[in-house]
Amino acid sequence: MDPKLPPLNALRTFVMAAQTGSFVSAANELSVTPAAVSRSIKSLEDYLGCSLFRRMHRQISLTREGRIYADSLADVFDKISLATHNAPTPASSLAG
């Protein structure tokens, strides 16, 4: 596995923006400002070397690359969520 991964927070922000279709909505969900979402997405785009969103006046849409990346990451975050849900808790590890 490549130790140089993009920042997890930038990935989380990207997935939320892709799901909501809005930097403002993603910001509300993540309790940050829309500017913070925009900066995070821009840093991820710089890291990847491609545009993930088309930015229009007060509107965004995923690029082809963004759609492919968002679909892949959604599966990864679903797996992380499931693993976290199924993680043993201190009480359950004592019972075993």
Side-chain angles (χ1 to χ4, degrees), residues 5-17 40-41 44 48 69 73 76-77:
L5 297 173
L8 183 58
N9 194 46
L11 295 176
R12 183 172 166 246
T13 302
F14 167 68
V15 168
M16 186 59 65
S40 185
I41 299 296
L44 184 58
L48 295 171
Y69 199 46
L73 288 176
V76 170
F77 278 92

Side-chain angles (χ1 to χ4, degrees), residues 81-93:
S81 179
L82 181 61
T84 301
H85 177 75
N86 292 331
T89 61
S92 67
S93 63

Side-chain angles (χ1 to χ4, degrees), residues 23 45 51-56 59-65:
F23 287 0
E45 289 174 329
S51 294
L52 299 170
F53 289 98
R54 278 182 221 84
R55 292 155 174 87
M56 298 154 282
Q59 187 178 6
I60 59 167
S61 65
L62 286 165
T63 62
R64 180 180 173 280
E65 295 82 3

